[in-house]
């Protein structure tokens, strides 16, 4: 049963932990996880954090042990497929822990496409998602459920193929496997119950507002530079996201201005070099902590 405090379930240790803590701390929660701490209290929004295994998070929300939780979209999909009452909803995408659930086979396998999986064995930790995919594609294959080290299954003869999460692809390569088909793309998400009480929804709304303020600027930098006034039109093309820049006259340098602008960081070094080419000087690039719309 939910009391007045907001209860958020987080993965204690794993691929979602650092990203979750970093995001929450940028939203002022000041969480400092320690080895044996399973409950962390914060005065911010009167919140309790439950530090648990990721697999437990959907069930905790479902049974109201937690109000919301951060999990991978892949787990949310698997949970929904195995719980037909569908009580959970995605509240917000969080843009970290991105990965994909893919089918992979040995590099020397004679399985060339998904139809070749007919009659074969596929090892996975996501049996419902895989079963659903096989059904949709009219493939009859045997599913071998494993809760770890799925990538070893073909090597030790347990299965002909695997269906596992892939991020950089290093694990597949190390195990002489090649990716054959992506089933779904995933990222960290904030999940809650569709029927959460109003006072929880109000707090969650504030939480999401804070998350978005941080997420919005994750790929942006605050750039300041000096440039010849005549070159200003060229800046627009060089700085993606260049909207409403601040332009200030530079005292003692007629014809020159200082420009302050928020711009996307993706191609930062490339952009900086191009800025230099059009004569920009005193280029300062700064991190932005939050951007409140
Ligand atoms: O102990 P606990 O049960 O809490 O953790 P866990 O071991 O079950 O989960 P964990 O920490 O491995 O993953 C938690 C969530 O992180 C997943 O449900 C995904 O949503 C997300 N995530 C993002 C990943 C990866 N990237 C990822 N690369 N989860 C797992 N992997 C594994 C993958 O299974 C494979 O073994 O990393 C390996 C592949 O990585 P690359 O970079 O070599 O391709
Ligand atoms: Zn797990």
């Amino acid at each position: 049963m939910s009391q007045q405090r907001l209860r958020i379930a987080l993965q204690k240790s794993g691929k979602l932990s650092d990203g979750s803590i970093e995001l929450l701390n940028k939203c002022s929660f000041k969480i400092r996880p320690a080895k044996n701490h399973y409950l962390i209290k914060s005065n911010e929004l009167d919140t309790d954090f439950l530090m648990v295994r990721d697999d437990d998070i959907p069930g905790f929300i479902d049974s109201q042990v937690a109000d919301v939780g951060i999990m991978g979209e892949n787990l949310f999909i698997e949970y929904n497929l195995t719980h037909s009452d569908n009580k959970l909803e995605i509240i917000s995408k969080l843009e970290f822990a991105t990965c994909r659930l893919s089918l992979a086979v040995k590099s020397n396998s004679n399985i060339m496409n998904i139809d070749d999986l007919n009659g074969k064995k596929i090892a996975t930790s996501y049996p419902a998602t895989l079963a659903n995919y096989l059904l949709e594609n009219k493939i009859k294959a045997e599913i071998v459920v494993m809760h770890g080290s799925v990538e070893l299954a073909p090597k030790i003869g347990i299965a002909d193929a695997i269906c596992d999460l892939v991020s950089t692809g290093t694990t597949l390569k190390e195990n002489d496997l090649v990716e054959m088909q992506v089933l779904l793309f995933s990222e960290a998400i904030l999940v809650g119950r569709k029927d959460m009480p109003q006072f929880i929804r109000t707090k969650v709304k504030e939480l999401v507002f804070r998350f978005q303020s941080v997420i919005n600027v994750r790929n942006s930098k605050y750039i300041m530079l000096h440039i010849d006034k005549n070159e200003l039109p060229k800046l627009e093309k060089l700085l993606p996201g260049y909207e409403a820049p601040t332009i200030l006259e530079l005292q003692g340098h007629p014809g020159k201005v200082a420009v302050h602008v928020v711009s996307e960081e993706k191609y930062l070094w490339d952009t900086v070099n191009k800025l230099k080419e059009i004569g920009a000087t005193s280029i300062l690039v700064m991190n932005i902590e939050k951007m409140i719309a």
Side-chain angles (χ1 to χ4, degrees):
M1 274 292 292
S2 290
Q3 289 102 43
Q4 293 299 311
R5 293 180 69 80
L6 176 65
R7 281 185 289 193
I8 306 180
L10 302 179
Q11 187 188 29
K12 182 163 172 47
S13 166
K15 292 213 155 56
L16 292 164
S17 314
D18 289 351
S20 305
I21 302 292
E22 192 190 324
L23 179 60
L24 285 155
N25 281 344
K26 282 188 175 161
C27 298
S28 312
F29 283 93
K30 302 187 187 84
I31 310 170
R32 293 176 62 202
K35 206 163 177 234
N36 297 318
H37 290 180
Y38 295 92
L39 175 69
I40 301 175
K41 290 184 169 286
S42 170
N43 291 335
E44 205 64 32
L45 299 181
D46 287 331
T47 308
D48 292 342
F49 293 97
L50 308 177
M51 311 303 285
V52 295
R53 290 195 62 174
D54 71 334
D55 315 71
D56 291 333
I57 298 176
F60 277 15
I61 302 167
D62 211 335
S63 57
Q64 299 181 41
V65 171
D67 299 305
V68 290
I70 295 179
M71 70 186 74
E73 210 171 342
N74 50 296
L75 184 60
F76 174 81
I77 291 168
E78 180 76 12
Y79 189 84
N80 266 353
L81 286 168
T82 46
H83 294 74
S84 52
D85 45 357
N86 258 321
K87 283 186 280 187
L88 307 187
E89 67 175 352
I90 299 177
I91 299 167
S92 178
K93 297 209 172 198
L94 303 176
E95 296 182 26
F96 68 90
T98 51
C99 58
R100 53 199 187 270
L101 183 67
S102 290
L103 284 163
V105 293
K106 273 185 176 171
S107 62
N108 61 356
S109 170
N110 52 11
I111 302 171
M112 310 302 280
N113 56 51
I114 56 165
D115 290 326
D116 295 336
L117 288 169
N118 268 301
K120 299 285 196 282
K121 287 183 182 172
I122 310 170
T124 190
S125 308
Y126 297 90
T129 311
L130 175 59
N132 196 47
Y133 177 82
L134 294 176
L135 189 71
E136 275 176 4
N137 289 280
K138 300 185 178 61
I139 294 162
K140 288 207 161 73
E142 187 183 331
I143 296 174
V144 181
V145 182
M146 290 177 73
H147 294 292
S149 307
V150 175
E151 67 279 1
L152 298 180
K155 205 181 283 180
I156 54 179
I158 294 177
D160 307 288
I162 66 165
C163 174
D164 199 11
L165 297 174
V166 182
S167 176
T168 60
T170 311
T171 306
L172 291 185
K173 216 173 249 174
E174 280 173 357
N175 289 281
D176 199 22
L177 297 164
V178 286
E179 199 171 351
M180 193 174 68
Q181 177 73 40
V182 177
L183 272 65
L184 58 88
F185 289 94
S186 173
E187 64 185 90
I189 52 174
L190 182 73
V191 171
R193 280 173 62 97
K194 287 178 187 162
D195 65 350
M196 70 174 85
Q198 191 50 47
F199 78 91
I200 292 293
R201 201 167 280 283
T202 307
K203 281 195 182 193
V204 170
K205 204 172 155 203
E206 170 64 23
L207 184 70
V208 172
F209 166 72
R210 293 186 189 191
F211 280 174
Q212 287 307 333
S213 304
V214 175
I215 293 168
N216 283 347
V217 292
R218 229 185 234 149
N219 302 318
S220 298
K221 295 281 182 199
Y222 192 81
I223 299 178
M224 300 200 278
L225 52 88
H226 294 174
I227 196 155
D228 205 293
K229 230 179 192 170
N230 299 328
E231 302 289 355
L232 278 175
K234 290 187 190 159
L235 269 188
E236 198 166 342
K237 290 197 185 78
L238 290 182
L239 296 171
Y242 179 93
E243 268 174 39
T246 308
I247 298 173
L248 306 159
E249 296 284 343
L250 275 180
Q251 241 182 6
H253 295 272
K256 275 212 150 195
V257 286
V259 179
H260 296 195
V261 65
V262 174
S263 183
E264 282 175 31
E265 161 183 54
K266 224 172 177 182
Y267 309 106
L268 183 68
W269 290 110
D270 195 32
T271 306
V272 165
N273 284 327
K274 286 179 183 154
L275 289 172
K276 279 160 64 183
E277 276 167 25
I278 61 164
T281 55
S282 307
I283 305 169
L284 281 180
V285 181
M286 285 175 290
N287 289 328
I288 306 168
E289 199 181 273
K290 299 175 188 73
M291 187 158 68
I292 319 291

